[in-house]
Amino acid sequence: MNRILCFVLMPFGRKPAASGAVVDFDSVYAELIAPAIDAAGLEPLRADQELTGGIIHKPMFERLILCEFAVADLTCANANVFYELGLRHAVRPASTLLIFAEGTGQLPFDVALLRASPYRLGPDGKPADVATARAAIAARLREARNLPTDSPVYQLVEGFPDIKRHKTDVFRDRLKYREDVKARLGVARKQGKEALRKVEGSLGDIADQEAGVVLDLYLSYRAVKAWKDMIGLVPKMSPPLARSVMVQEQFGLALNRDAQGEEAERVLLAVIERQGPSSETYGILGRVYKDRWETALSAGEGLLAEGLLQKAIEAYLKGFEADWRDAYPGVNAATLMELADPPDTRGEKIIPVVAYAVERRISAGKPDYWDFATQLELAVLGRRKAEASAALAKTLAAVREIWEPETTARNLDLICKARERRGEDLPWARDAVQALVRRAS
């Protein structure tokens, strides 16, 4: 008896992931995906099994459109897979299962909102704990037989695909509304927390607002250091938006700034477990441990402080290793290594790598505050006064939000104090700290 076909969208062969690991996709298909589809009572079919002649896109499009079930492996964020997934979501309201390999890099924002099943890889890039992962995928496919809508297009765009003229008119109205809110938020950010709260109060039910409007409000609260307002906004959001990686990362940041370090740690570790390592998530987690280290140090809890300092260093290192192009976690790791007693000699090895990473970002033509602040911090670590002066000028000019120079000033102050404890005085570095503090005020 012919079984229902399940089309598999995935890369072929061995491909490198953002984490540096190499994924053996052929083994993932043969050992994990195909057996799981078979266990669900379906017939697996992968694009490279199409042996018909002619234009290869025709059979692929047919399978994407006509197969009742599909599995998409999002590991490595392969461009072909994402193109195919977009087509599938546009034509099929349901029965598309998303999977990804844990620890191979963060899923892009557009799909991070969607439900995806993780699987683990071994050191050889082949699937690990296969029995458990097979069972989970098979169960999700059997669940999909009940045809719950899983396409975000069908879930979020009312009436799709039967779009009437009035829907376009509503879209135009919403676009004008969003631009109006953005303009009001821009004014309110300059006026302070209370003005932002008034804008929020005018929006009505936050869960019904467009994601872009809610995120603008969320980050506006961050800009004025309204940490409690950020924390309070998250449960008001629609569940998919509240669960998104960016919202959860910033939720962790706000919790930490609100002196809820342990809860911030829990939130960020959950993001890493669900989405894999990323420089952003580990960078924020490193800051959580760093703040707790300072608190323990001030309280005279030396052993606890030492342990938290090491956790902060390792978190920042993992963030830098997740994406060598992001210098932020790298420079923080190097700074904390300088603060250790005695200094961690790994800092001497990592600093040139961090310097190269930030140089490449700046040469790409779109530098931001953190790029120049990183150069400043590296110059202070390297005791290079002239470079520090040049970087300080660019850093001060690039400030966007008041908490940015506060963060840099705090790091430089820690370096100065560590050097002073060792009998070294850097008055020009102290001058940089004061300039950043003035800029923040």
Side-chain angles (χ1 to χ4, degrees):
M1 183 177 71
N2 290 335
R3 294 190 295 174
I4 297 172
L5 287 171
C6 180
F7 190 55
V8 180
L9 296 60
M10 68 182 301
F12 310 136
R14 293 172 62 84
K15 297 287 190 299
S19 64
V22 175
V23 185
D24 187 339
F25 284 104
D26 291 342
S27 294
V28 171
Y29 177 74
E31 299 174 21
L32 175 59
I33 298 176
I37 293 172
D38 184 70
L42 307 173
E43 183 73 27
L45 177 66
R46 196 164 74 150
D48 63 340
Q49 294 173 306
E50 299 287 356
L51 301 178
T52 58
I55 300 175
I56 62 170
H57 295 85
K58 182 178 185 295
M60 181 192 72
F61 289 151
E62 289 175 343
R63 295 299 185 256
L64 281 169
I65 295 169
L66 301 176
C67 282
E68 293 187 38
F69 292 84
V71 174
D73 191 334
L74 306 183
T75 307
C76 296
N78 180 273
N80 290 328
V81 171
F82 274 78
Y83 174 81
E84 294 162 11
L85 177 62
L87 175 59
R88 174 76 182 184
H89 275 159
V91 298
R92 278 280 181 175
S95 64
T96 302
L97 172 63
L98 309 182
I99 64 173
F100 68 98
E102 292 179 335
T104 54
Q106 190 166 293
L107 293 179
F109 176 77
D110 286 342
V111 295
L113 300 175
L114 306 179
R115 182 184 177 191
S117 297
Y119 63 87
R120 293 195 305 106
L121 294 173
D124 57 359
K126 298 181 179 181
D129 194 12
V130 173
T132 301
R134 277 182 192 166
I137 294 172
R140 287 283 309 281
L141 286 170
R142 285 191 288 268
E143 177 185 312
R145 286 180 179 273
N146 297 321
L147 297 180
T149 300
D150 53 43
S151 164
V153 183
Y154 285 82
Q155 288 175 336
L156 300 176
V157 181
E158 183 181 352
F160 183 83
D162 186 21
I163 302 297
K164 299 289 194 291
R165 170 63 181 270
H166 78 275
K167 175 65 72 174
T168 305
D169 294 338
V170 169
F171 167 73
R172 289 195 183 98
D173 291 342
R174 286 180 176 174
L175 192 61
K176 291 178 182 176
Y177 170 73
R178 177 177 175 178
E179 292 305 311
D180 174 63
V181 174
K182 286 181 69 174
R184 289 162 57 200
L185 286 171
V187 173
R189 276 195 297 272
K190 297 176 183 177
Q191 296 173 342
K193 299 176 185 178
E194 194 55 45
L196 288 172
R197 290 172 187 142
K198 288 181 180 178
V199 175
E200 179 185 347
S202 72
L203 296 178
D205 190 343
I206 294 297
D208 292 337
Q209 294 295 321
E210 182 185 346
V213 170
V214 179
L215 291 176
D216 282 344
L217 174 63
Y218 192 51
L219 297 179
S220 294
Y221 277 137
R222 186 188 71 175
V224 298
K225 302 196 294 184
W227 312 119
K228 290 188 184 297
D229 294 278
M230 281 185 73
I231 294 166
L233 191 63
V234 175
K236 300 176 187 177
M237 297 179 185
S238 65
L241 181 60
R243 289 194 301 266
S244 68
V245 172
M246 193 276 277
V247 168
Q248 287 295 300
E249 286 174 338
Q250 296 303 308
F251 185 42
L253 183 150
L255 286 166
N256 184 57
R257 294 299 183 95
D258 194 49
Q260 300 183 55
E262 292 186 2
E263 180 63 13
E265 178 187 19
R266 184 194 66 76
V267 167
L268 295 167
L269 288 175
V271 172
I272 292 167
E273 182 178 359
R274 188 172 75 248
Q275 301 292 342
S278 79
S279 59
E280 180 73 10
T281 313
Y282 267 119
I284 299 171
L285 182 61
R287 176 60 188 264
V288 171
Y289 293 137
K290 177 182 172 184
D291 288 348
R292 290 167 63 185
W293 160 69
E294 287 195 86
T295 299
L297 204 61
S298 298
E301 300 181 65
L303 287 176
L304 175 60
E306 183 178 341
L308 288 168
L309 179 59
Q310 290 306 313
K311 290 186 78 169
I313 290 172
E314 294 307 319
Y316 281 128
L317 272 180
K318 287 179 181 178
F320 191 45
E321 289 166 357
D323 187 351
W324 299 100
R325 297 166 300 178
D326 188 351
Y328 175 77
V331 72
N332 275 280
T335 293
L336 293 186
M337 288 172 183
E338 172 71 17
L339 305 183
D341 189 19
D344 190 328
T345 56
R346 290 180 296 174
E348 299 173 4
K349 297 178 181 179
I350 196 175
I351 285 176
V353 185
V354 177
Y356 180 74
V358 74
E359 285 169 9
R360 296 310 305 157
R361 273 186 56 89
I362 291 173
S363 67
K366 294 182 179 180
D368 64 12
Y369 171 85
W370 296 112
D371 296 321
F372 298 125
T374 295
Q375 287 193 320
L376 170 60
E377 203 163 323
L378 289 172
V380 173
L381 285 170
R383 301 171 176 84
R384 298 186 297 274
K385 180 179 178 181
E387 288 183 29
S389 179
L392 176 61
K394 295 176 182 177
T395 301
L396 295 173
V399 171
R400 300 159 299 189
E401 299 177 4
I402 57 175
W403 60 275
E404 293 174 331
E406 288 178 348
T407 299
T408 305
R410 184 181 177 197
N411 281 358
L412 297 186
D413 181 61
L414 289 170
I415 295 170
C416 289
K417 287 178 178 176
R419 297 268 171 86
E420 288 162 3
R421 286 195 298 271
R422 298 174 193 138
E424 181 181 358
D425 187 23
L426 296 176
W428 53 269
R430 279 287 175 203
D431 291 341
V433 172
Q434 293 305 312
L436 289 163
V437 170
R438 287 193 298 272
R439 185 70 175 90
S441 63

